[in-house]
Amino acid sequence: MPHIPFKLFQKVLTSYRYRVTVKRLCNIIAVFFSMVISRIFRRPVVWGGPLLLMVEPTNLCNLKCPMCPSGAGTMQRSKGKMDIRQFRKIIDEIGDTLILVQFWNQGEPFIHTGLCEMVAYAKSKGIPAMTSTNGHFFEMPEQIESIVHSGIDEIIISFDGIDQKTYEQYRVGGYFEKVMDGIRKLVQYKQDHKLKRPLINLQFLVMKHNEDQMQQIESIGRRLGVDLVTLKSAQVYSDNQGREFLPDDERFRRYTSDGKTYIIKSRFPNWCQFLWTGTVVNWDGSVTPCCFDKDGEYTVGNAFQEGTSFRKIWKGEKLQSFRRKILADRSNISICMNCFEGMRQPYVYYKVL
């Protein structure tokens, strides 16, 4: 998620549990004005710290989704799980100005057995938290209890089909009924304990083989008792993937095509608000400008390195240099060529149930 859409800001303010502090309010103001000045004068002015932190608990996954670098086995980075002590170190340093932590990047977050502990630590600092999962880890009662009582505000569950045959065409190695059963257990626990959180968001990635099921997924969401259903467009990495997976419905195609090549529907502005509002920390501490840098090609530092300050990385020369390149000519940066910053249509459609 390479920027903080208005709907996400709205959700944080109205639906998440957070602690309003003077530091957080001042940081929001500082970030806003530094963005305005940077855009007007075309040079990177950075005040305050990130508002959003994307944390990758692990880049390991239990599924083999063909368009996911982790699942498809095309990722160039090494694989592993984040050290919880190092995570706490980052939160201790910048948590007092954060307004959201997203626990995902590549991989399946719940493979990290310490995920709930990490969420709980962020929540203890008054920071809203959310995660995204393939939904295969909601089996035992103690798992459900641990997830809910971590304090997490929203769980996005990828659910790209209404039956096993359709579901497994993309979620290779996944089990439709197992995900359905896990969602039922999660919803039931909330109902039994009269809880409003976490919000349960059923996310449907619209592709060629399932686009005729969009209406039915909303009905399934209502029957299950989830809070939201979102329809999301797919990101492809090759023309072959475009031909195989992109739907006919133009609302859910991020790309224009002549039938052979696929180009994202973007104006490619020399700007990216995420570089002023958020950043990504991978499982090994490497800091990248955004989640589109799957392989860490543009790594700007390592937050786990001894003697390294996260704030120094945030305002350091490597990230400042990247911001300058964005302001000068974003079209020359490879990872930006598949990013929806500047895209002419929404990449996700929310349905509140």
Side-chain angles (χ1 to χ4, degrees):
M1 188 174 292
H3 58 79
I4 310 179
F6 172 75
K7 285 186 179 293
L8 182 54
F9 258 132
Q10 187 181 45
K11 197 189 295 182
V12 169
L13 294 174
T14 60
S15 302
Y16 288 3
R17 295 159 292 191
Y18 58 92
R19 190 180 305 152
V20 178
T21 65
V22 172
K23 275 190 175 182
R24 288 197 172 104
L25 291 174
C26 289
N27 192 49
I28 292 170
I29 294 169
V31 169
F32 174 78
F33 280 105
S34 67
M35 287 171 62
V36 171
I37 292 171
S38 298
R39 197 158 191 182
I40 291 173
F41 293 100
R42 314 307 302 171
R43 64 183 185 88
V45 175
V46 179
W47 295 330
L51 302 175
L52 179 152
L53 185 67
M54 180 178 283
V55 172
E56 180 184 76
T58 179
N59 58 357
L60 298 166
C61 193
N62 55 309
L63 302 186
K64 303 294 182 184
C65 306
M67 290 191 292
C68 171
S70 179
T74 59
M75 185 181 296
Q76 301 301 307
R77 291 191 283 121
S78 60
K79 294 185 177 182
K81 300 177 183 179
M82 182 172 283
D83 186 308
I84 296 178
R85 293 170 299 177
Q86 296 285 10
F87 168 75
R88 290 198 193 105
K89 173 176 172 275
I90 294 175
I91 295 300
D92 289 343
E93 183 179 355
I94 65 170
D96 56 356
T97 56
L98 289 172
I99 65 168
L100 181 63
V101 179
Q102 294 175 317
F103 287 93
W104 74 74
N105 183 18
Q106 301 300 298
E108 164 54 48
F110 283 100
I111 283 179
H112 196 309
T113 55
L115 175 64
C116 291
E117 183 181 342
M118 295 163 74
V119 171
Y121 194 74
K123 293 299 299 182
S124 73
K125 305 293 184 180
I127 311 167
M130 62 190 299
T131 193
S132 180
T133 174
N134 58 46
H136 283 73
F137 296 85
F138 307 142
E139 296 181 272
M140 306 301 293
E142 55 268 28
Q143 290 175 306
I144 302 292
E145 183 176 6
S146 179
I147 290 164
V148 173
H149 288 280
S150 69
I152 196 158
D153 294 282
E154 181 174 357
I155 300 174
I156 300 171
I157 302 173
S158 299
F159 202 63
D160 312 319
I162 63 169
D163 51 46
Q164 178 65 26
K165 181 180 178 181
T166 309
Y167 176 78
E168 68 181 351
Q169 277 189 252
Y170 184 69
R171 301 290 165 183
V172 179
Y175 299 95
F176 176 84
E177 284 298 335
K178 185 174 185 177
V179 179
M180 286 276 283
D181 186 57
I183 295 171
R184 291 190 192 101
K185 289 176 180 176
L186 193 55
V187 170
Q188 190 63 52
Y189 188 93
K190 285 178 58 182
Q191 292 175 347
D192 290 345
H193 294 80
K194 297 179 172 59
L195 300 172
K196 293 184 178 180
R197 304 291 175 272
L199 296 177
I200 301 173
N201 183 344
L202 204 62
Q203 181 173 276
F204 187 83
L205 195 61
V206 182
M207 293 171 279
K208 183 176 291 186
H209 62 273
N210 67 8
E211 63 181 312
D212 61 334
Q213 300 178 349
M214 283 189 280
Q215 297 299 323
Q216 292 157 284
I217 199 68
E218 182 179 330
S219 298
I220 288 176
R222 289 186 184 280
R223 290 203 305 271
L224 288 171
V226 303
D227 303 287
L228 298 158
V229 168
T230 55
L231 303 176
K232 187 178 180 183
S233 59
Q235 180 186 23
V236 300
Y237 296 90
S238 70
D239 295 332
N240 286 337
Q241 288 181 351
R243 286 187 286 274
E244 182 178 357
F245 289 104
L246 292 183
D248 294 326
D249 192 326
E250 284 294 333
R251 294 174 301 164
F252 300 99
R253 290 171 67 99
R254 299 185 191 183
Y255 307 86
T256 59
S257 173
D258 59 5
K260 295 180 179 179
T261 58
Y262 292 80
I263 301 172
I264 199 159
K265 299 172 182 175
S266 176
R267 299 183 299 273
F268 293 111
N270 293 328
W271 174 252
C272 179
Q273 63 173 293
F274 188 73
L275 294 178
W276 277 260
T277 58
T279 193
V280 177
V281 181
N282 294 316
W283 73 268
D284 59 355
S286 58
V287 179
T288 55
C290 81
C291 63
F292 283 101
D293 190 4
K294 314 292 185 183
D295 291 322
E297 181 182 355
Y298 296 94
T299 297
V300 295
N302 192 297
F304 296 169
Q305 187 174 335
E306 189 173 348
T308 298
S309 161
F310 190 91
R311 294 189 188 278
K312 285 183 179 179
I313 296 174
W314 176 246
K315 295 185 178 182
E317 177 52 33
K318 285 187 176 180
L319 191 47
Q320 284 291 74
S321 175
F322 190 84
R323 293 184 181 111
R324 280 193 289 271
K325 290 176 182 177
I326 289 286
L327 291 169
D329 187 1
R330 183 165 161 259
S331 64
N332 275 331
I333 300 175
S334 59
I335 61 172
C336 297
M337 295 300 95
N338 207 6
C339 171
F340 47 69
E341 179 78 45
M343 201 168 71
R344 298 182 179 91
Q345 66 188 48
Y347 69 94
V348 64
Y349 295 79
Y350 293 85
K351 181 70 174 181
V352 180
L353 303 184

